[in-house]
Amino acid sequence: MHVLWIFLVWIVVFAGIFWRQRWVLPLGIVGLIATVVFLKMNMDSTIPLNF
Amino acid sequence: MTTQVKLARVLNLLALLALLGVLSGSLHLQFGQGEPPCPLCLVQRSGMIALAVGPLLNLFTGIKVRNYAFAILAACVGGAGSVRQILLHIATPGDPGYGPEVFGFHLYTWADITFLIAVVGISILLMWPGQFTANDRGLLGTPGVMRVLTITVAAWYLIYLIAMTIFIIPMCGIGMCPADPPETNYLPSNGAWLAIGGAGILSLLIGIISNSRMRRR
């Protein structure tokens, strides 16, 4: 997954805040999950700190 | 609207301004000092952006427990990124850390402190039931300084977010972001501060114009 998509999700979330849309929090949760996936994808070092 | 709701709104706005300050510092490092964000730094940025969603929703749609809960989740995700980066540099002997130090700490350490303060601050705010009992519906229906400031801050975040997103493309291309991206100077140091100030002035104009247009309706 490309990090660009995460930031595009946040742009949509912020646009949703301006228009007080109900889907802002659910889409925000999607953004958070995508961020965790991106974090996991970058745990590629050999040190014993990966989860 | 009760005094407690007013006070809660002011606290939410102050938290948003503090977060804007942290993001401004990181953008100045990126554009003014040629320090591009690493993948873990992008995780922390994503966490900071997400952290702002809770207080903004509190101001736009009314003070709600779920908005604070989302902010705590965001702080946990961003904090995971910063703790990971701190541990990464501790575990490697002789590692000087990533990027420059600011007041003796690297940016990821400051990010971790920010997320920790957010979790503690929001937890304390959640112990204050008076702000939830007033059935607040947000301040968009209330013209005035608070509405101008709220729209200004939201617009400022959106401008930062668009700038961050645009500059991910030359840094990461269409693949994975490089672990140690090369330094790229986009602007001189003063130029970066001017750009940050310009974003603030543009946001203020958006806030003032939106406030007056809403009043006319």
Side-chain angles (χ1 to χ4, degrees), chain B residues 63-87:
Chain B
I63 311 279
K64 306 266 183 341
V65 175
R66 62 171 180 259
N67 299 337
Y68 284 124
F70 181 83
I72 290 179
L73 280 178
C76 290
V77 170
S82 53
V83 166
R84 160 79 188 169
Q85 198 167 9
I86 291 168
L87 294 177

Side-chain angles (χ1 to χ4, degrees), chain B residues 12-185:
Chain B
N12 276 277
L13 190 62
L14 287 177
L16 284 169
L17 287 171
L19 263 180
L20 257 184
V22 176
L23 280 174
S24 300
S26 78
L27 285 176
H28 179 265
L29 276 178
Q30 178 177 355
F31 295 113
Q33 296 187 23
E35 293 283 347
C38 56
L40 286 174
C41 311
L42 289 172
V43 169
Q44 291 155 60
R45 273 192 184 178
S46 179
M48 293 238 177
I49 292 291
L51 187 54
V53 170
L56 277 175
L57 279 175
N58 274 338
L59 292 169
F60 274 85
T61 64
I63 311 279
K64 306 266 183 341
V65 175
R66 62 171 180 259
N67 299 337
Y68 284 124
F70 181 83
I72 290 179
L73 280 178
C76 290
V77 170
S82 53
V83 166
R84 160 79 188 169
Q85 198 167 9
I86 291 168
L87 294 177
L88 196 64
H89 293 296
I90 288 173
T92 315
D95 189 329
Y98 182 84
E101 290 180 10
V102 178
F103 301 120
F105 290 130
H106 288 283
L107 285 188
Y108 41 86
T109 311
W110 280 117
D112 195 40
I113 292 168
T114 306
F115 290 125
L116 195 64
I117 290 172
V119 171
V120 173
I122 296 165
S123 304
I124 292 169
L125 271 176
L126 282 170
M127 292 177 195
W128 173 31
Q131 60 185 316
F132 304 114
T133 51
N135 197 21
D136 178 29
R137 300 185 69 184
L139 51 63
L140 284 191
T142 321
V145 178
M146 275 300 282
R147 189 164 80 176
V148 172
L149 289 176
T150 300
I151 297 171
T152 300
V153 167
W156 205 338
Y157 271 100
L158 194 56
I159 291 169
Y160 275 3
L161 193 48
I162 291 169
M164 285 175 195
T165 309
I166 289 171
F167 282 90
I168 283 172
I169 299 167
M171 200 176 70
C172 305
I174 53 165
M176 288 293 284
C177 300
D180 195 3
E183 289 191 8
T184 315
N185 270 319

Side-chain angles (χ1 to χ4, degrees), chain A residues 2-4 6-7 10-11 14 17-18 20 24-25 28-29 32 35-36 38-39 41-43 45 47 49-50, chain B residues 39-40 43 46 49-50 56-57 60 66 70 84 87-88 137 154-155 157-158 161 165 168 173-175 177:
Chain A
H2 200 278
V3 69
L4 187 64
I6 300 173
F7 280 82
W10 291 129
I11 289 178
F14 270 69
I17 293 173
F18 275 104
R20 301 202 288 178
V24 167
L25 274 186
I29 300 279
L32 287 181
T35 306
V36 173
F38 181 71
L39 171 62
M41 282 167 65
N42 280 283
M43 288 186 169
S45 64
I47 59 165
L49 295 170
N50 301 324
Chain B
L40 286 174
V43 169
S46 179
I49 292 291
L56 277 175
L57 279 175
F60 274 85
R66 62 171 180 259
F70 181 83
R84 160 79 188 169
L87 294 177
L88 196 64
R137 300 185 69 184
Y157 271 100
L158 194 56
L161 193 48
T165 309
I168 283 172
I174 53 165
C177 300

